[in-house]
Amino acid sequence: MMVSTRIAWLAPVALLGFLGSAASAQRPAGHLGGSVIDRATGQPLSGVTVVSLHDGKSMTTDTTGIYRFEKLPVGIVRFLFRATGFPQQALVVALAQGEVMERRVEMDSSVAAKVADTAAVEPVRPGARVQQQQLALVTVDEAPSMGPRYANFERRRKTGAGQYLVREQIEKAGGSSLQDAVRSLRGVTLDCGGGLGCSIHMARAPMRCTPEYVIDDNVDNSFGPSTPVRDIEAIEVYTGPADVPGEYAGRNAGCGVIVIWTRSGPARKKKK
């Protein structure tokens, strides 16, 4: 009698567990699709290998540069785009349940990877004369570290996504404002009407859509546009969702993101 009672009690629990698992299996996953183009020419790129770092699955873009992934997990998902003659490109997206997301990825053929020629080395026979061989010089373009506070800036700059300026470049341009500093960057436009000065907009963003401003890792859309150029140490500019890194994916990425690093850094909280 005791055994049958226990079985009768467990049956509803097992049934609820089964129904819960079935419901979870039926939840719509996220989907990602889009196109890959050559940033320098604007032409679609076919044969680009796209790898989902979540599960290692990959695909190649078709003749029109289209790629598509289905049944992706909800949350942050990372992808890697690879093509011969192009620096690899990373893409990080934040997918909601059942979301169908479109992202255009730009790969830059104008950034040539400098690879040193390697000569074949033959084994040296005992007693043979060793001929000295002149090796090709390798140019190293990596800039020296700006310090621990700029570790995230330098990490993102190495990915190739977005556009980056440091103090030396800003001063060389001779601009007197943030707007002057980013004026020449690709995909950035200035709206100077109305007598209120110039405001920054992204060419691919919808009308009246202003970018998000992040100052020393803090969102500040009120002070951001008027940050004195003399206080700026570095700038990151992301013109659209395809460029925006994962840490800013939840913000208003569709309008672009401008990240500003100042000399003083974020304000320190006083100890009580």
Side-chain angles (χ1 to χ4, degrees), residues 163 182 186-190 200-207 209-213 236-240 253-258:
Q163 301 174 81
V182 302
R186 182 184 59 258
V188 175
T189 62
L190 297 183
I200 301 172
H201 292 275
M202 303 306 172
R204 292 182 292 168
M207 292 182 63
C209 185
T210 58
E212 187 93 290
Y213 288 86
E236 305 173 43
V237 176
Y238 304 99
T239 58
C255 299
V257 178
I258 298 177

Side-chain angles (χ1 to χ4, degrees), residues 143-151 153-154 156-157 163-172 175 177-178 181-182 214-217 223-224 227-237 258-266:
S145 173
M146 297 173 63
R149 191 162 76 85
Y150 303 97
F153 170 83
E154 293 177 336
R156 289 191 288 265
R157 182 165 57 170
Q163 301 174 81
Y164 302 84
L165 295 172
V166 294
R167 168 162 289 279
E168 182 180 356
Q169 295 170 304
I170 298 171
E171 291 178 345
K172 187 176 180 179
S177 66
L178 171 66
V182 302
V214 181
I215 304 179
D216 296 317
D217 271 343
F223 181 71
T227 305
V229 71
R230 64 178 179 274
D231 294 338
I232 298 175
E233 283 294 323
I235 304 173
E236 305 173 43
V237 176
I258 298 177
V259 183
I260 301 171
W261 298 87
T262 66
R263 288 183 170 184
S264 57

Side-chain angles (χ1 to χ4, degrees), residues 97-157:
Q97 181 176 315
E99 182 176 8
V100 178
M101 185 179 292
E102 295 288 332
R103 288 290 183 269
R104 185 176 73 173
V105 175
E106 298 178 356
M107 301 186 75
D108 196 350
S109 61
S110 65
V111 181
K114 297 181 179 179
V115 181
D117 293 331
T118 54
V121 180
E122 296 182 359
V124 179
R125 297 187 300 273
R129 294 182 60 185
V130 179
Q131 183 178 4
Q132 187 175 5
Q133 186 178 23
Q134 186 175 1
L135 299 178
L137 295 178
V138 180
T139 302
V140 180
D141 292 333
E142 185 172 355
S145 173
M146 297 173 63
R149 191 162 76 85
Y150 303 97
N152 288 332
F153 170 83
E154 293 177 336
R155 171 180 57 81
R156 289 191 288 265
R157 182 165 57 170

